[in-house]
Coordinates of all heavy atoms in Angstrom, one line a residue:
M229 N 41.2 -5.4 -12.7 CA 40.4 -6.3 -11.9 C 39.9 -5.6 -10.6 O 39.0 -6.1 -9.9 CB 41.3 -7.5 -11.5 CG 40.5 -8.9 -11.7 SD 39.6 -9.0 -13.2 CE 38.8 -10.5 -12.9
N230 N 40.5 -4.5 -10.3 CA 40.1 -3.8 -9.1 C 38.7 -3.3 -9.1 O 38.0 -3.4 -8.1 CB 41.0 -2.5 -8.9 CG 42.1 -2.8 -7.8 OD1 41.9 -3.8 -7.0 ND2 43.1 -2.0 -7.7
L231 N 38.3 -2.8 -10.2 CA 36.9 -2.3 -10.4 C 35.9 -3.4 -10.2 O 34.9 -3.3 -9.5 CB 36.7 -1.7 -11.8 CG 35.4 -1.0 -12.0 CD1 35.3 0.3 -11.2 CD2 35.3 -0.6 -13.5
F232 N 36.2 -4.6 -10.8 CA 35.3 -5.8 -10.6 C 35.2 -6.1 -9.2 O 34.1 -6.4 -8.7 CB 36.0 -6.9 -11.4 CG 35.1 -8.2 -11.4 CD1 34.0 -8.3 -12.1 CD2 35.6 -9.2 -10.6 CE1 33.2 -9.4 -12.0 CE2 34.8 -10.4 -10.6 CZ 33.6 -10.5 -11.3
R233 N 36.2 -6.1 -8.5 CA 36.2 -6.4 -7.0 C 35.4 -5.4 -6.3 O 34.6 -5.8 -5.4 CB 37.7 -6.3 -6.5 CG 38.0 -7.4 -5.6 CD 39.5 -7.3 -5.4 NE 40.0 -8.2 -4.3 CZ 41.3 -8.1 -3.9 NH1 42.1 -7.3 -4.5 NH2 41.7 -8.9 -2.9
L234 N 35.5 -4.1 -6.6 CA 34.7 -3.1 -6.0 C 33.2 -3.3 -6.2 O 32.4 -3.2 -5.3 CB 35.1 -1.7 -6.6 CG 34.8 -0.5 -5.7 CD1 35.7 -0.4 -4.5 CD2 34.9 0.7 -6.6
I235 N 32.9 -3.7 -7.4 CA 31.5 -3.9 -7.7 C 30.9 -5.1 -6.9 O 29.8 -5.1 -6.3 CB 31.3 -4.2 -9.3 CG1 31.6 -2.9 -10.0 CG2 29.9 -4.7 -9.6 CD1 31.8 -3.1 -11.5
I236 N 31.7 -6.2 -6.8 CA 31.3 -7.3 -6.0 C 31.1 -7.0 -4.6 O 30.1 -7.4 -3.9 CB 32.4 -8.5 -6.2 CG1 32.4 -9.0 -7.6 CG2 32.1 -9.6 -5.2 CD1 31.2 -9.7 -8.1
I237 N 32.0 -6.2 -4.0 CA 32.0 -5.8 -2.6 C 30.7 -5.0 -2.4 O 30.0 -5.2 -1.4 CB 33.2 -5.1 -2.2 CG1 34.4 -6.1 -2.1 CG2 33.1 -4.4 -0.8 CD1 35.8 -5.5 -2.0
S238 N 30.5 -4.0 -3.2 CA 29.3 -3.1 -3.0 C 28.0 -3.9 -3.2 O 27.1 -3.6 -2.5 CB 29.4 -1.9 -3.9 OG 30.1 -2.1 -5.1
L239 N 28.1 -4.9 -4.1 CA 26.9 -5.7 -4.3 C 26.6 -6.5 -3.1 O 25.4 -6.6 -2.6 CB 27.1 -6.6 -5.5 CG 25.9 -7.1 -6.2 CD1 25.3 -6.0 -7.1 CD2 26.1 -8.3 -7.1
A240 N 27.6 -7.0 -2.5 CA 27.5 -7.8 -1.3 C 27.0 -7.0 -0.1 O 26.1 -7.4 0.6 CB 28.9 -8.4 -0.9
I241 N 27.5 -5.8 0.0 CA 27.0 -4.9 1.0 C 25.5 -4.5 0.8 O 24.7 -4.5 1.7 CB 27.8 -3.6 1.1 CG1 29.3 -3.9 1.6 CG2 27.2 -2.5 1.9 CD1 30.3 -2.8 1.3
W242 N 25.2 -4.3 -0.4 CA 23.8 -3.9 -0.8 C 22.8 -5.1 -0.4 O 21.8 -4.9 0.2 CB 23.7 -3.6 -2.3 CG 22.4 -3.2 -2.7 CD1 21.8 -2.0 -2.6 CD2 21.4 -4.0 -3.4 NE1 20.5 -2.0 -3.1 CE2 20.3 -3.2 -3.6 CE3 21.4 -5.3 -3.9 CZ2 19.1 -3.7 -4.3 CZ3 20.3 -5.8 -4.5 CH2 19.2 -5.0 -4.7
I243 N 23.2 -6.3 -0.8 CA 22.4 -7.5 -0.5 C 22.3 -7.6 1.0 O 21.2 -7.9 1.5 CB 23.0 -8.7 -1.1 CG1 22.8 -8.7 -2.6 CG2 22.4 -10.0 -0.6 CD1 23.7 -9.7 -3.4
A244 N 23.4 -7.4 1.8 CA 23.3 -7.5 3.2 C 22.4 -6.5 3.8 O 21.6 -6.8 4.7 CB 24.7 -7.3 3.8
I245 N 22.4 -5.3 3.3 CA 21.5 -4.2 3.8 C 20.0 -4.6 3.5 O 19.1 -4.5 4.3 CB 21.8 -2.9 3.1 CG1 23.2 -2.4 3.7 CG2 20.8 -1.8 3.4 CD1 23.8 -1.2 3.0
R246 N 19.8 -5.1 2.3 CA 18.4 -5.5 1.9 C 17.9 -6.6 2.8 O 16.7 -6.5 3.2 CB 18.4 -6.0 0.4 CG 18.5 -4.8 -0.6 CD 17.4 -3.8 -0.5 NE 16.1 -4.4 -0.7 CZ 15.4 -4.4 -1.8 NH1 15.9 -3.8 -2.9 NH2 14.3 -4.9 -1.9
I247 N 18.7 -7.6 3.1 CA 18.3 -8.7 3.9 C 18.0 -8.2 5.3 O 17.0 -8.5 5.9 CB 19.4 -9.8 3.9 CG1 19.5 -10.5 2.6 CG2 19.2 -10.8 5.1 CD1 20.7 -11.4 2.4
W248 N 18.8 -7.3 5.8 CA 18.7 -6.7 7.1 C 17.4 -5.9 7.2 O 16.6 -6.0 8.2 CB 19.9 -5.8 7.5 CG 19.8 -5.3 8.9 CD1 20.0 -6.0 10.0 CD2 19.6 -3.9 9.3 NE1 19.9 -5.2 11.1 CE2 19.6 -3.9 10.7 CE3 19.4 -2.8 8.6 CZ2 19.4 -2.7 11.4 CZ3 19.2 -1.6 9.3 CH2 19.2 -1.6 10.6
Q249 N 17.1 -5.1 6.2 CA 15.9 -4.3 6.1 C 14.7 -5.2 6.1 O 13.6 -4.9 6.7 CB 15.9 -3.4 4.9 CG 16.8 -2.1 5.1 CD 16.9 -1.3 3.9 OE1 16.6 -1.8 2.8 NE2 17.2 0.0 4.0
N250 N 14.8 -6.2 5.3 CA 13.7 -7.2 5.2 C 13.3 -7.8 6.5 O 12.2 -7.9 6.9 CB 14.1 -8.3 4.2 CG 13.1 -8.5 3.1 OD1 11.9 -8.4 3.3 ND2 13.6 -8.6 1.9
Y251 N 14.4 -8.2 7.2 CA 14.3 -8.8 8.5 C 13.6 -7.8 9.5 O 12.7 -8.2 10.3 CB 15.7 -9.3 9.0 CG 15.7 -9.7 10.4 CD1 15.2 -11.0 10.7 CD2 16.2 -9.0 11.5 CE1 15.3 -11.5 12.0 CE2 16.2 -9.4 12.8 CZ 15.8 -10.7 13.0 OH 15.8 -11.1 14.3
R252 N 14.1 -6.6 9.5 CA 13.5 -5.6 10.4 C 12.1 -5.3 10.1 O 11.3 -5.2 11.0 CB 14.3 -4.2 10.2 CG 15.7 -4.3 10.8 CD 16.0 -3.4 11.9 NE 15.0 -2.3 12.2 CZ 15.3 -1.0 12.5 NH1 16.6 -0.7 12.5 NH2 14.4 -0.2 12.8
A253 N 11.7 -5.3 8.8 CA 10.3 -5.0 8.4 C 9.4 -6.1 8.9 O 8.3 -5.9 9.3 CB 10.3 -4.9 6.9
K254 N 9.9 -7.4 8.8 CA 9.2 -8.5 9.2 C 8.9 -8.5 10.7 O 7.8 -8.8 11.1 CB 9.9 -9.8 8.8 CG 9.5 -10.3 7.4 CD 10.2 -11.6 7.0 CE 10.0 -11.9 5.6 NZ 10.9 -13.0 5.2
T255 N 10.0 -8.3 11.5 CA 9.9 -8.3 12.9 C 9.0 -7.2 13.4 O 8.3 -7.3 14.4 CB 11.2 -8.2 13.6 OG1 11.9 -7.1 13.0 CG2 12.1 -9.5 13.4
K256 N 9.0 -6.1 12.7 CA 8.1 -4.9 13.0 C 6.6 -5.3 12.9 O 5.8 -4.9 13.7 CB 8.5 -3.8 12.1 CG 9.0 -2.5 12.9 CD 9.2 -1.4 11.9 CE 9.9 -0.3 12.6 NZ 10.2 0.8 11.6
K257 N 6.3 -6.0 11.8 CA 4.9 -6.3 11.4 C 4.4 -7.5 12.2 O 3.2 -7.8 12.1 CB 4.8 -6.6 9.9 CG 4.8 -5.3 9.1 CD 4.8 -5.6 7.6 CE 5.0 -4.4 6.8 NZ 5.3 -4.8 5.4
M258 N 5.3 -8.2 12.9 CA 4.9 -9.5 13.5 C 3.7 -9.4 14.4 O 2.8 -10.2 14.3 CB 6.1 -10.1 14.3 CG 6.9 -11.0 13.5 SD 5.9 -12.3 12.6 CE 6.3 -13.7 13.6
P259 N 3.6 -8.5 15.4 CA 2.4 -8.5 16.2 C 1.3 -7.7 15.6 O 1.3 -6.5 15.6 CB 2.9 -7.8 17.5 CG 4.2 -7.0 17.2 CD 4.5 -7.4 15.8
P260 N 0.3 -8.4 15.0 CA -0.8 -7.7 14.4 C -1.8 -7.2 15.5 O -2.6 -8.0 16.1 CB -1.5 -8.7 13.5 CG -1.0 -10.1 14.0 CD 0.1 -9.8 15.0
S261 N -1.7 -5.9 15.8 CA -2.6 -5.4 16.9 C -4.0 -5.2 16.4 O -4.2 -4.8 15.2 CB -2.0 -4.0 17.3 OG -2.0 -3.1 16.3
S262 N -4.9 -5.4 17.2 CA -6.3 -5.3 16.8 C -6.7 -3.8 16.7 O -7.6 -3.5 15.9 CB -7.2 -5.9 17.9 OG -6.9 -5.4 19.1
K263 N -5.9 -3.0 17.3 CA -6.1 -1.5 17.2 C -5.9 -1.1 15.7 O -6.7 -0.3 15.2 CB -5.2 -0.8 18.1 CG -5.7 0.5 18.6 CD -4.8 1.1 19.6 CE -5.3 2.4 20.2 NZ -4.4 3.0 21.2
A264 N -4.8 -1.6 15.1 CA -4.5 -1.2 13.7 C -5.6 -1.7 12.8 O -5.9 -1.0 11.8 CB -3.2 -1.7 13.3
Q265 N -6.1 -2.8 13.0 CA -7.1 -3.4 12.1 C -8.4 -2.6 12.2 O -9.1 -2.4 11.2 CB -7.4 -4.9 12.5 CG -6.4 -5.8 12.0 CD -6.6 -7.2 12.4 OE1 -7.2 -7.5 13.4 NE2 -6.0 -8.2 11.6
Q266 N -8.7 -2.1 13.4 CA -10.0 -1.3 13.6 C -9.8 0.1 12.8 O -10.8 0.7 12.4 CB -10.2 -1.0 15.0 CG -10.9 -2.2 15.7 CD -11.0 -2.1 17.2 OE1 -10.6 -1.0 17.8 NE2 -11.5 -3.1 17.9
A267 N -8.6 0.5 12.7 CA -8.4 1.8 12.1 C -8.6 1.8 10.6 O -8.9 2.8 10.0 CB -6.9 2.3 12.3
I268 N -8.6 0.6 10.0 CA -8.8 0.5 8.5 C -10.3 0.5 8.3 O -11.1 -0.4 8.7 CB -8.2 -0.8 8.0 CG1 -6.7 -0.8 8.2 CG2 -8.5 -0.9 6.5 CD1 -6.0 -2.1 8.0
P269 N -10.8 1.5 7.6 CA -12.3 1.6 7.3 C -12.7 0.6 6.2 O -11.9 0.1 5.4 CB -12.5 3.0 6.8 CG -11.2 3.4 6.2 CD -10.1 2.6 6.9
D270 N -14.0 0.2 6.2 CA -14.5 -0.6 5.2 C -14.4 0.0 3.8 O -14.6 1.2 3.7 CB -16.0 -1.0 5.5 CG -16.1 -2.0 6.6 OD1 -15.1 -2.7 6.9 OD2 -17.2 -2.0 7.2
M271 N -13.9 -0.7 2.8 CA -13.8 -0.2 1.5 C -15.1 -0.5 0.7 O -15.6 -1.5 0.7 CB -12.6 -0.8 0.8 CG -11.3 -0.5 1.5 SD -10.9 1.2 1.7 CE -10.1 1.5 0.1
V272 N -15.5 0.5 -0.1 CA -16.7 0.4 -0.9 C -16.3 0.8 -2.3 O -15.3 1.4 -2.6 CB -17.8 1.3 -0.4 CG1 -18.4 0.7 0.9 CG2 -17.4 2.7 -0.3
E273 N -17.0 0.3 -3.3 CA -16.7 0.5 -4.7 C -17.6 1.5 -5.4 O -18.8 1.4 -5.3 CB -16.8 -0.9 -5.4 CG -16.2 -0.9 -6.8 CD -16.4 -2.2 -7.5 OE1 -17.5 -2.4 -8.1 OE2 -15.6 -3.1 -7.4
C274 N -17.0 2.5 -6.1 CA -17.7 3.4 -6.8 C -18.4 2.7 -8.0 O -17.8 2.0 -8.7 CB -16.8 4.5 -7.4 SG -17.5 5.7 -8.5
V275 N -19.7 3.0 -8.2 CA -20.4 2.3 -9.3 C -20.0 2.8 -10.7 O -20.2 2.2 -11.7 CB -22.0 2.4 -9.1 CG1 -22.4 1.7 -7.9 CG2 -22.4 3.9 -9.2
V276 N -19.4 4.0 -10.8 CA -19.0 4.5 -12.1 C -17.6 4.1 -12.5 O -17.4 3.5 -13.5 CB -19.0 6.1 -12.0 CG1 -18.5 6.7 -13.3 CG2 -20.4 6.6 -11.7
C277 N -16.6 4.3 -11.6 CA -15.2 4.0 -12.0 C -14.6 2.7 -11.3 O -13.5 2.3 -11.6 CB -14.3 5.2 -11.7 SG -14.1 5.6 -10.0
K278 N -15.4 2.1 -10.5 CA -15.0 0.9 -9.8 C -13.8 1.1 -8.8 O -13.2 0.1 -8.5 CB -14.7 -0.3 -10.8 CG -15.8 -0.5 -11.8 CD -17.1 -1.0 -11.2 CE -18.1 -1.1 -12.2 NZ -19.5 -1.3 -11.7
M279 N -13.5 2.3 -8.5 CA -12.4 2.6 -7.6 C -12.9 2.3 -6.2 O -14.1 2.5 -5.8 CB -12.1 4.1 -7.7 CG -10.8 4.4 -7.0 SD -10.2 6.1 -7.4 CE -11.3 7.0 -6.3
H280 N -12.0 1.7 -5.4 CA -12.3 1.4 -4.0 C -11.9 2.6 -3.1 O -10.8 3.1 -3.2 CB -11.6 0.2 -3.6 CG -12.2 -1.1 -4.1 ND1 -12.0 -1.5 -5.4 CD2 -13.1 -1.9 -3.6 CE1 -12.7 -2.6 -5.6 NE2 -13.4 -2.9 -4.6
I281 N -12.9 3.0 -2.3 CA -12.7 4.1 -1.4 C -13.2 3.8 0.0 O -14.1 2.9 0.1 CB -13.5 5.4 -1.9 CG1 -14.8 5.0 -2.5 CG2 -12.7 6.1 -3.0 CD1 -15.8 6.1 -2.6
P282 N -12.6 4.5 1.0 CA -13.1 4.2 2.4 C -14.6 4.6 2.5 O -15.0 5.6 1.9 CB -12.3 5.1 3.2 CG -11.1 5.5 2.4 CD -11.6 5.4 1.0
E283 N -15.3 3.8 3.3 CA -16.8 4.0 3.4 C -17.1 5.4 3.9 O -18.1 6.0 3.4 CB -17.3 2.9 4.3 CG -18.8 2.8 4.1 CD -19.4 1.6 5.0 OE1 -18.7 1.1 5.9 OE2 -20.5 1.3 4.8
N284 N -16.3 5.9 4.8 CA -16.6 7.2 5.4 C -16.4 8.4 4.4 O -16.8 9.5 4.6 CB -15.8 7.4 6.7 CG -14.3 7.3 6.5 OD1 -13.8 7.0 5.4 ND2 -13.6 7.5 7.5
E285 N -15.7 8.1 3.2 CA -15.5 9.1 2.2 C -16.4 9.0 1.0 O -16.4 9.8 0.1 CB -14.0 9.1 1.7 CG -13.0 9.6 2.7 CD -11.6 9.5 2.3 OE1 -11.4 9.5 1.1 OE2 -10.7 9.3 3.1
A286 N -17.2 7.9 1.0 CA -18.1 7.7 -0.1 C -19.3 8.5 -0.1 O -19.8 9.0 0.9 CB -18.5 6.2 -0.1
L287 N -19.7 8.8 -1.3 CA -21.0 9.6 -1.5 C -22.1 8.5 -1.9 O -21.9 7.6 -2.6 CB -20.9 10.6 -2.6 CG -19.8 11.7 -2.3 CD1 -19.7 12.6 -3.5 CD2 -20.2 12.6 -1.1
R288 N -23.3 8.7 -1.4 CA -24.4 7.8 -1.6 C -25.6 8.5 -2.2 O -25.9 9.6 -1.9 CB -24.8 7.1 -0.3 CG -23.8 6.2 0.2 CD -24.0 6.0 1.7 NE -22.8 5.3 2.3 CZ -22.7 4.0 2.2 NH1 -23.5 3.2 1.7 NH2 -21.6 3.5 2.8
K289 N -26.2 7.7 -3.1 CA -27.5 8.2 -3.7 C -28.3 6.9 -3.8 O -28.0 6.1 -4.6 CB -27.3 8.9 -5.1 CG -28.5 9.6 -5.5 CD -28.3 10.5 -6.7 CE -28.1 9.7 -8.0 NZ -27.9 10.5 -9.1
G290 N -29.3 6.8 -3.0 CA -30.1 5.6 -2.9 C -29.2 4.5 -2.3 O -28.5 4.7 -1.3
D291 N -29.1 3.4 -3.0 CA -28.2 2.3 -2.5 C -26.9 2.3 -3.4 O -26.1 1.4 -3.3 CB -28.9 1.0 -2.6 CG -29.5 0.6 -4.0 OD1 -29.4 1.5 -4.9 OD2 -29.9 -0.5 -4.1
K292 N -26.7 3.3 -4.2 CA -25.5 3.4 -5.0 C -24.4 4.2 -4.3 O -24.7 5.1 -3.6 CB -25.8 4.0 -6.4 CG -26.6 3.1 -7.3 CD -26.8 3.8 -8.6 CE -27.6 2.8 -9.6 NZ -27.8 3.5 -10.9
I293 N -23.2 3.8 -4.6 CA -22.0 4.4 -3.9 C -21.1 5.1 -5.0 O -20.8 4.5 -6.0 CB -21.2 3.4 -3.1 CG1 -22.1 2.9 -1.9 CG2 -19.9 3.9 -2.6 CD1 -21.7 1.6 -1.4
Y294 N -20.7 6.3 -4.7 CA -19.8 7.0 -5.6 C -18.6 7.5 -4.9 O -18.6 7.8 -3.7 CB -20.6 8.2 -6.2 CG -21.9 7.8 -6.9 CD1 -23.1 7.8 -6.1 CD2 -21.9 7.5 -8.2 CE1 -24.3 7.4 -6.8 CE2 -23.1 7.1 -8.8 CZ -24.3 7.1 -8.1 OH -25.4 6.7 -8.7
C295 N -17.5 7.7 -5.7 CA -16.2 8.2 -5.1 C -16.2 9.7 -5.0 O -15.5 10.2 -4.2 CB -15.1 7.6 -5.9 SG -15.0 8.4 -7.6
S296 N -16.9 10.4 -5.9 CA -16.9 11.8 -5.9 C -18.2 12.4 -6.4 O -19.1 11.7 -6.9 CB -15.8 12.2 -6.9 OG -16.1 11.8 -8.2
Q297 N -18.3 13.7 -6.2 CA -19.5 14.4 -6.6 C -19.7 14.3 -8.1 O -20.9 14.1 -8.6 CB -19.4 15.9 -6.2 CG -20.7 16.7 -6.4 CD -21.8 16.3 -5.4 OE1 -21.5 15.9 -4.3 NE2 -23.0 16.3 -5.9
Q298 N -18.6 14.4 -8.9 CA -18.7 14.3 -10.3 C -19.3 12.9 -10.8 O -20.1 12.9 -11.7 CB -17.3 14.4 -11.0 CG -16.7 15.8 -10.9 CD -15.7 15.9 -9.8 OE1 -16.1 15.7 -8.6 NE2 -14.5 16.3 -10.1
H299 N -18.9 11.8 -10.1 CA -19.4 10.6 -10.5 C -20.8 10.4 -10.1 O -21.6 9.7 -10.7 CB -18.5 9.4 -10.0 CG -17.2 9.3 -10.8 ND1 -16.2 8.5 -10.5 CD2 -16.9 9.9 -12.0 CE1 -15.3 8.6 -11.4 NE2 -15.7 9.4 -12.3
L300 N -21.2 11.0 -8.9 CA -22.6 11.0 -8.5 C -23.5 11.6 -9.6 O -24.5 11.1 -9.9 CB -22.7 11.7 -7.2 CG -24.0 11.6 -6.4 CD1 -23.8 11.6 -4.9 CD2 -25.0 12.6 -6.8
E301 N -23.0 12.7 -10.1 CA -23.8 13.5 -11.1 C -23.7 12.8 -12.5 O -24.7 12.9 -13.3 CB -23.3 14.9 -11.2 CG -23.7 15.7 -10.0 CD -22.9 17.0 -9.8 OE1 -22.2 17.4 -10.8 OE2 -23.1 17.7 -8.8
A302 N -22.6 12.1 -12.7 CA -22.4 11.5 -14.1 C -23.3 10.3 -14.2 O -23.7 9.9 -15.3 CB -21.0 11.1 -14.2
D303 N -23.7 9.6 -13.1 CA -24.5 8.4 -13.2 C -26.0 8.7 -13.0 O -26.5 8.6 -11.9 CB -24.0 7.4 -12.1 CG -24.7 6.1 -12.3 OD1 -24.7 5.5 -13.4 OD2 -25.3 5.6 -11.3
N304 N -26.7 9.1 -14.1 CA -28.1 9.4 -14.0 C -28.9 8.5 -14.8 O -28.5 8.1 -15.9 CB -28.4 10.8 -14.4 CG -28.1 11.8 -13.2 OD1 -28.4 11.5 -12.0 ND2 -27.4 12.9 -13.5
Ligands
ZN100 ZN1 -15.9 7.0 -9.3

């Protein structure tokens, strides 16, 4: 029965750690700073693979948006 007890105890400790980490993560994220929101660039969609990429990394041809040079060339 000792092993069973050990498993229960370690499980309890693990759950306690998880709850504590969850609580810490939540309190950390609580104040949504406007600075962080500005840092996220607008996401655009590649017309070939539908992948979402930051606008500043996107390639453009006309009004179409591509994720990479290969997809720009593939879509003719
Ligand atoms: Zn693509």
Side-chain angles (χ1 to χ4, degrees):
M229 226 43 188
N230 256 346
L231 186 70
F232 181 73
R233 222 169 169 185
L234 199 76
I235 290 165
I236 294 293
I237 290 166
S238 29
L239 206 75
I241 291 167
W242 181 78
I243 289 166
I245 289 168
R246 285 301 300 262
I247 289 168
W248 184 71
Q249 282 176 338
N250 235 319
Y251 173 76
R252 288 243 347 220
K254 269 182 192 167
T255 50
K256 241 183 189 176
K257 282 176 190 168
M258 268 310 255
S261 65
S262 56
K263 211 176 181 181
Q265 283 178 334
Q266 281 173 0
I268 300 163
D270 284 340
M271 299 301 277
V272 290
E273 192 185 88
C274 172
V275 295
V276 177
C277 65
K278 309 293 176 198
M279 192 172 76
H280 285 82
I281 41 163
E283 199 175 13
N284 57 357
E285 287 174 29
L287 298 173
R288 287 158 195 280
K289 192 167 76 178
D291 57 351
K292 287 180 176 179
I293 292 159
Y294 304 91
C295 67
S296 62
Q297 190 69 37
Q298 287 101 301
H299 282 172
L300 191 149
E301 285 164 9
D303 186 52
N304 278 320

